[in-house]
Each structure stands twice: as C-alpha cells, then as structure tokens.
Amino acid sequence: MTREAAINEVHTDGEWFSPEDEPLREARRLGEEFGADPVGADGGAALRFVASLIRARTVVEIGSGCGVSGIWLLRGMHPQGVLTSVDVEPENQRLAKLAYADAGFAAARTRMISGRALDVLPRLTDSAYDLVFCDAMPREYPEYLAAALRLLRPGGVVAFDDARTPLADPADARGVRTTARLVAEDETLIPLFLPLGDGLLVAQKRG
C-alpha cells in the first residue's frame, strides 16, 4: 500500500487504528445478542489510550456489558492494575468474566460488583481511582458524575459513552445533556468531547 493510499484509508476508516481480535469480537457478539450495547471499537481504543496515558492502576467501570469495554480498559491499564466493574445484571458479569479470561487476564485483575450503580458507588473509597467509565443508564449520568468527582484522584479522568447518540427515552437524553452542561461548567474539570462512535465525553479532574 502506498503512503497516499494508507492516509486515505485512515481518513475514511477510523477502525484502521482499532482492529478487534477474536476475544473482543466474541464479547461484542454476546453483548449485541444480550442487548448490552457495547462501546464501539473506536470508543474502546480511546478508552485504552486514556488508561495508558495516565498509567491507570485503579479503574471503575459502570456497566460491565459482556466485557468489551473492560477488555479495552485492561489493555491500556498498568499491568498490575485492577478493574472494578459494576453491573446490575449478574449474567452480564458472568459473560464479562469469561471474556476477560479469554483475553488472557487473570481473575485478580478484575473485581466484579453486582448491583445498581447508585447503591454501589457510595461504598467505594474516596480519591482512590484513576479512571471512571460510565456506560449505563444515561438518565443517571449526573449522579455518576458526582460520584466520580469523589472517587477520582487529582489528575484522574471520567468518561461517558453515548454522548452524541440520539436517545429515545427523554429521561436518558436529558441525563446526557445535563451531564455535558455540568462538565462544561465545572472549573475543577478539563473537558473534551470525542466524536467517536456514539460519542465519548471525557474530563480530567484538575490537580
């Protein structure tokens, strides 16, 4: 492939940078089959990049799905890092654990907590996490943001999926809009919107 052809391919196909291997493809297949709506490959690659950039050791994921986003996050995290994954559906978490194992991650690299996020998050330690990724119940995103600000260390990052997807439920759409406004107005955050896949809203907590 010529250099010009390669550049054209990159410009027309963002997934050139984020090919998915068999563990990710299988986790995605199961996620779509079970209605878990997994993060897209480009959004997953962005999560991996952020996790790697900040050398994340402690990550909270709200919405395990069937393991797609967890694999992307683990692949960017520090080799001894631990992913805490929260989901209200035990079956989702069972499939996610199988996906992590299939991707080669030891069981000790993940901590699975079953339950409603707004019930689980208050039990997690203040200022103890490098990254919080939210991909569940967009209507609850404002509450997830408040929890993330408590959980993150200075320099930590919060990320929200589905930041530009048209949402059928008015409460979900309102939750996304409210969260975007809160992030933009919060002077303790450095915000960024990434127009990848369904849209990724990220913000770093100032030191």
Side-chain angles (χ1 to χ4, degrees):
M1 178 183 295
T2 67
R3 179 174 181 273
E4 182 179 358
I7 291 172
N8 287 336
E9 182 176 346
V10 170
H11 285 179
T12 57
D13 183 7
E15 292 191 5
W16 189 86
F17 280 109
S18 51
E20 294 192 324
D21 57 8
E22 183 56 33
L24 275 168
R25 287 194 296 269
E26 177 61 13
R28 181 173 301 284
R29 184 189 68 78
L30 289 171
E32 292 171 351
E33 179 181 328
F34 283 83
D37 190 22
V39 65
D42 43 5
L47 293 174
R48 178 184 61 184
F49 180 84
V50 171
S52 177
L53 192 67
I54 64 174
R55 298 285 288 169
R57 287 177 174 266
T58 51
V59 175
V60 176
E61 174 189 50
I62 303 172
S64 306
C66 293
V68 173
S69 54
I71 292 175
W72 280 113
L73 287 164
L74 285 162
R75 287 179 173 174
M77 291 168 62
H78 187 280
Q80 277 74 56
V82 175
L83 172 70
T84 297
S85 191
V86 180
D87 201 292
V88 72
E89 296 291 343
E91 182 64 9
N92 285 355
Q93 293 203 315
R94 185 186 71 82
L95 293 171
K97 286 192 288 187
L98 292 175
Y100 303 152
D102 189 36
F105 295 106
R109 293 289 312 279
T110 61
R111 178 174 63 151
M112 312 299 287
I113 303 179
S114 181
R116 182 171 173 264
L118 294 181
D119 295 330
V120 172
L121 296 175
R123 306 204 303 262
L124 302 183
T125 304
D126 292 6
S127 305
Y129 295 89
D130 301 310
L131 174 62
V132 176
F133 172 56
C134 309
D135 190 16
M137 300 295 289
R139 69 188 63 188
E140 296 180 350
Y141 276 11
E143 288 84 358
Y144 297 166
L145 174 62
L149 293 177
R150 177 181 62 81
L151 295 173
L152 289 172
R153 62 164 175 81
V157 173
V158 60
F160 297 87
D161 195 26
D162 296 318
R164 73 168 183 176
T165 303
L167 299 171
D169 189 303
D172 285 340
R174 186 165 54 251
V176 171
R177 288 195 302 270
T178 299
T179 303
R181 177 179 54 79
L182 291 171
V183 167
E185 293 175 352
D186 192 329
E187 295 184 357
T188 71
L189 296 174
I190 302 172
L192 175 66
F193 173 72
L194 296 174
L196 302 171
D198 294 330
L200 199 64
L201 175 64
V202 297
Q204 184 176 42
K205 184 178 180 180
R206 293 182 187 270

